[in-house]
Amino acid sequence: MGCSGGRVRFNFGKALSKASVFFTMVLIFTFFFYCLTGFCDSAPRTLYSQGGADRDYDVLDDHRRVLDDLRPAQNRSDSADARRMDAPTGRLLPQRAPDSANESAQSGGIPVSNTFGTKRFPQAIIIGVKKGGTRALLEFLRIHPDVRAVGSEPHFFDRFYDKGLEWYRNLMPRTLDGQITMEKTPSYFVTKEAPGRVCTMNCQTKLIVVVRDPVTRAVSDYTQTLSKNPGLPSFQSLALKNSSTGLIDTTWSAVRIGLYAKHLENWLQHFPLSHFLFVSGERLVSDPAGEMGRVQDFLGLKRVVSDKHFYFNQTKGFPCLKKPEGSSRPRCLGKSKGRPHPQIPSEVLQRLRDFYRPFNHHFYQISGQDFGWD
């Protein structure tokens, strides 16, 4: 009887041990099952998918550049071609809040978190002028590894100032220490409130103004508007108050923008002249590397963008960026650039030149540069 009781206790203990092992195995199996189905996925999610429609052009551009720098030269892909000039769509892309830090992108096997770098207010802004060559300048600058720029025009200091500075900062691409954050909105130059608003953000901001012969600029401005509105009145009817008197209508924006001295005086109430760089739109076409050298010096950057990056496109009539190694095509500005201008009566153009001459000379005196438009 004692042996029988001992045998029962032994069997019960053995059964209990087997039950413990069984339940342990069940728990392990359940854990692995949930992990495999994604419920305990500890890996960060991807920042973007290959076919995603809501890509942030500039953030992805930052990641691709860094990854390209990390890869050996012979193994670099043509990802640089994704940064071609006509990529910006002219609209603000959806932005992510700074605290959405649980995502990462993966390219070439190297994970990159979207917390890479910091969103900062721009240290430099291209503030003008419309149809002067601001888009070309921005795209040329984006070749530089130490420049990060918003692709589209934020229009913060003229249209969306009520959204607040944090909204504006969140539009900026992420940068590392030593890199410059930039944006360009050419309408800032002619917006009366813009200088004070920019100074409120940072009175040390560097300001770049791309200027062009105001007569040619006005015709280019009109050409762009005409392409969107074919029913637009003739250039001469808009430029002249009265065809018989020949007085220039300065209320027309295409004419008013060309009064560079007047707009600059407004900015000089808030910023010293040393904070400005005036880029010649004409030389940006005839000698892009030379003008880019001046811009890089002004921004305190090493001269990286040089002659080797450009070639002159005879069809478009302006310089384009040479295609990156491994890419199938060069990077030129879009079809909206380089449109043929309509024929304008020579006497109308001459009246405009006579009108602008004193304003041009005043601008030369203030800026310390003679742009040779007369």
Side-chain angles (χ1 to χ4, degrees):
M1 188 71 178
C3 290
S4 177
R7 190 179 297 111
V8 169
R9 285 192 298 271
F10 176 81
N11 289 339
F12 177 78
K14 188 174 182 180
L16 183 61
S17 176
K18 288 182 178 181
S20 299
V21 171
F22 174 78
F23 281 112
T24 301
M25 293 300 294
V26 169
L27 289 174
I28 293 174
F29 175 82
T30 303
F31 174 81
F32 279 109
F33 173 80
Y34 276 95
C35 280
L36 290 173
T37 54
F39 283 92
C40 63
D41 184 8
S42 61
R45 297 178 182 178
T46 57
L47 177 63
Y48 64 95
S49 63
Q50 291 291 66
D54 60 343
R55 298 185 185 183
D56 183 328
Y57 175 82
D58 296 289
V59 173
L60 297 184
D61 186 46
D62 293 348
H63 296 332
R64 292 189 187 103
R65 287 192 187 187
V66 174
L67 294 172
D68 283 344
D69 291 341
L70 292 174
R71 298 189 193 109
Q74 65 270 26
N75 293 331
R76 292 176 188 172
S77 68
D78 63 351
S79 61
D81 191 50
R83 302 190 295 268
R84 57 186 180 273
M85 286 190 176
D86 57 349
T89 61
R91 63 181 176 83
L92 291 177
L93 296 174
Q95 299 293 323
R96 300 188 180 227
D99 59 354
S100 58
N102 295 325
E103 299 177 341
S104 69
Q106 189 165 348
S107 176
I110 304 175
V112 180
S113 170
N114 79 327
T115 57
F116 189 80
T118 305
K119 292 193 174 189
R120 300 179 174 92
F121 291 120
Q123 297 101 318
I125 304 176
I126 302 173
I127 61 172
V129 299
K130 180 184 179 185
K131 306 308 295 179
T134 58
R135 171 56 59 185
L137 175 61
L138 183 70
E139 295 304 329
F140 295 167
L141 273 170
R142 292 176 82 165
I143 302 172
H144 201 293
D146 290 333
V147 172
R148 296 291 182 269
V150 181
S152 54
E153 297 174 5
H155 283 282
F156 174 66
F157 295 105
D158 59 348
R159 298 181 189 173
F160 303 116
Y161 193 66
D162 60 338
K163 291 183 178 292
L165 284 168
E166 278 305 300
W167 178 88
Y168 179 59
R169 185 166 68 91
N170 195 47
L171 297 180
M172 299 300 117
R174 297 181 183 277
T175 54
L176 298 173
D177 290 341
Q179 293 178 328
I180 292 178
T181 302
M182 292 189 66
E183 71 116 319
K184 78 105 177 170
T185 304
S187 54
Y188 290 163
F189 189 58
V190 300
T191 300
K192 185 178 180 180
E193 300 81 10
R197 291 171 175 177
V198 174
C199 190
T200 297
M201 176 191 72
N202 183 3
C203 287
Q204 300 304 312
T205 306
K206 294 184 177 181
L207 307 166
I208 300 177
V209 188
V210 187
V211 289
R212 182 184 183 188
D213 183 333
V215 177
T216 309
R217 197 221 66 81
V219 176
S220 180
D221 197 338
Y222 172 79
T223 303
Q224 182 183 53
T225 307
L226 185 65
S227 69
K228 300 174 182 178
N229 182 13
L232 197 68
S234 67
F235 180 88
Q236 50 267 39
S237 66
L238 293 170
L240 303 178
K241 288 183 178 180
N242 188 303
S243 58
S244 59
T245 61
L247 292 176
I248 303 299
D249 189 354
T250 57
T251 63
W252 185 31
S253 64
V255 170
R256 190 175 65 253
I257 290 173
L259 303 174
Y260 303 144
K262 179 181 178 181
H263 305 306
L264 178 57
E265 286 174 340
N266 184 39
W267 280 86
L268 290 175
Q269 294 180 24
H270 300 270
F271 292 89
L273 188 63
S274 60
H275 285 209
F276 292 84
L277 177 70
F278 303 98
V279 175
S280 167
E282 288 83 8
R283 286 197 293 271
L284 200 58
V285 172
S286 63
D287 181 20
E291 282 299 280
M292 289 305 300
R294 294 180 59 241
V295 175
Q296 290 170 98
D297 291 347
F298 174 71
L299 295 175
L301 298 170
K302 181 180 178 181
R303 287 198 175 195
V304 172
V305 185
S306 63
D307 279 321
K308 68 181 181 180
H309 291 98
F310 302 100
Y311 80 97
F312 191 81
N313 187 307
Q314 296 291 344
T315 303
K316 288 181 173 290
F318 54 74
C320 294
L321 297 172
K322 291 180 180 178
K323 64 180 182 180
E325 184 178 352
S327 173
S328 60
R329 58 180 175 176
R331 292 179 287 169
C332 269
L333 295 176
K335 294 180 181 179
S336 64
K337 306 298 181 181
R339 297 186 187 95
H341 290 177
Q343 288 293 324
I344 310 295
S346 58
E347 59 270 20
V348 175
L349 296 178
Q350 187 58 51
R351 286 186 184 277
L352 271 176
R353 291 190 186 97
D354 294 340
F355 167 77
Y356 278 123
R357 187 171 293 111
F359 294 100
N360 291 343
H361 288 170
H362 187 34
F363 180 64
Y364 299 166
Q365 291 173 353
I366 299 175
S367 66
Q369 293 178 236
D370 186 338
F371 292 89
W373 296 323
D374 304 303

